[in-house]
Structures are given as structure tokens and as C-alpha cells.
Amino acid sequence: LATAILCLLLPAAYTLGQRVTAEHLQDRALTHLRLAAQQAAPFPELEDRMRILQHAVLGPRGYIFASDAQGRILSRHPRRFTRIEEEAWYRPEVRLREPEGVWVDRVGQHRVIAFLRLANHPMTFISVAFLADFSQPLRHFVLLSLLVIVEVLVVILVFGRYYVKGVTTPLGDGLP
């Protein structure tokens, strides 16, 4: 029974951990993007702005780029994409209508996408962070939980066999 409960709780705890990580990362991504955009605002050149915006990148694989209203990528992209459609996000044209926002894209690799459109310029800054870059503590939790489940199973098998034998042997001895 204890093993069954642990086995059922593990996926629920992992899912909750993923959700909490995603929500925290969404808040951080948009906040970092806003602050970096404010710091970059005085610079007229896109290259100078992008250099400052790089401070808002989250995670080792995260990146930031600029795009225009037609979905063309204006700055350097780490994968050399030239259009937003190449990112293969789920319905970006719907998401990017607002002046700013953030969402978790679960198509392919789970990514947090934050964006901010400048009021005085038809440009949108987009920050991409990968959830896997921030889920190391969650993976440790899962491994430790699996270790606990294996230990409980070993204890149940070893002591269960001993106690079952201790109960059944006297019962068998009393039969004719």
C-alpha cells in the first residue's frame, strides 16, 4: 500500500513541480525583459539595444531576438532563423498581438516565451528560455523519490516474506 501511494504521488508531485517552475520562469522572463528594454531604450541602434538585452537571457540555452510586425527577425538569431514561423511555436500570431506577454510553449521542447513590443518603434523583443535548464532540482527529487520507492519495495519483500513464513508455517504444522 505504501509503495502504491508513493508511485501515485510521484507523478503528481513532478507535475506540480513543473507547473511551479514554469510559472516562476514566466514571471522572471517578462520582468527581466522589461528591465533590459528600459535600459536599452536610450540607444538608437538595434545592435546596441540587443547587447544590453542579452543581460535578460535566462538559462544557458536561452536567447533574445528582435522581430518586426510582419514576423521577420531583425537581429541575430542563434539558429540563424529569419522568420518567427521557423521557431515552430504554437500559434505565435495569436500570442504576439498584445503589447507584452508571456506563455509556455509545449510544442517540441518546453519553452517560456516572453515578448515586449516597443511603443515608439514597431519592434518586438522576444526572450526564449527552456524549462529543462531550470528543472535540475525537480530531476533530483524524482531520482530520490525513485530510490525511496525501491528501498520500500526491498523492505516489504524481505520482511514480508519473513513474516508470512512465520504465520503460515505454524498453521501448516497444525494440519493433519
Side-chain angles (χ1 to χ4, degrees):
L1 182 61
T3 305
I5 290 171
L6 286 173
C7 289
L8 291 174
L9 287 179
L10 186 60
Y14 182 77
T15 303
L16 178 63
Q18 278 188 320
R19 180 167 285 151
V20 168
T21 302
E23 287 177 13
H24 175 70
L25 195 53
Q26 286 180 53
D27 291 341
R28 277 185 62 194
L30 191 54
T31 301
H32 279 61
L33 189 59
R34 284 178 186 149
L35 291 172
Q38 286 175 351
Q39 292 172 350
F43 297 93
E45 296 296 321
L46 178 60
E47 289 179 19
D48 296 331
R49 286 182 176 185
M50 293 308 297
R51 199 170 10 260
I52 292 172
L53 282 166
Q54 291 306 312
H55 297 290
V57 170
L58 297 176
R61 295 184 302 149
Y63 55 92
I64 291 181
F65 63 92
S67 74
D68 64 8
Q70 288 75 35
R72 290 186 302 254
I73 296 176
L74 305 173
S75 63
R76 231 174 352 142
H77 192 282
R79 296 184 182 147
R80 301 192 193 319
F81 292 162
T82 58
R83 302 206 41 87
I84 289 179
E85 292 85 28
E86 293 176 82
E87 286 281 357
W89 297 330
Y90 179 71
R91 299 178 63 186
E93 66 282 354
V94 174
R95 304 277 189 173
L96 295 172
R97 288 182 186 160
E98 301 296 320
E100 70 176 30
V102 63
W103 80 92
V104 177
D105 185 71
R106 290 183 170 82
V107 176
Q109 296 183 24
H110 291 191
R111 299 169 281 195
V112 172
I113 297 117
F115 67 94
L116 177 66
R117 186 171 302 111
L118 298 178
N120 56 355
H121 195 282
M123 187 185 323
T124 303
F125 294 122
I126 300 172
S127 170
V128 179
F130 293 87
L131 284 172
D133 291 345
F134 298 90
S135 60
Q136 187 66 26
L138 196 54
R139 285 193 291 270
H140 284 286
F141 167 75
V142 169
L143 288 174
L144 288 174
S145 298
L146 288 173
L147 182 64
V148 168
I149 289 172
V150 168
E151 288 174 352
V152 168
L153 280 173
V154 168
V155 168
I156 288 172
L157 289 174
V158 169
F159 287 108
R161 186 171 181 204
Y162 172 75
Y163 285 116
V164 167
K165 188 175 181 181
V167 170
T168 57
T169 301
L171 290 176
D173 289 343
L175 294 175

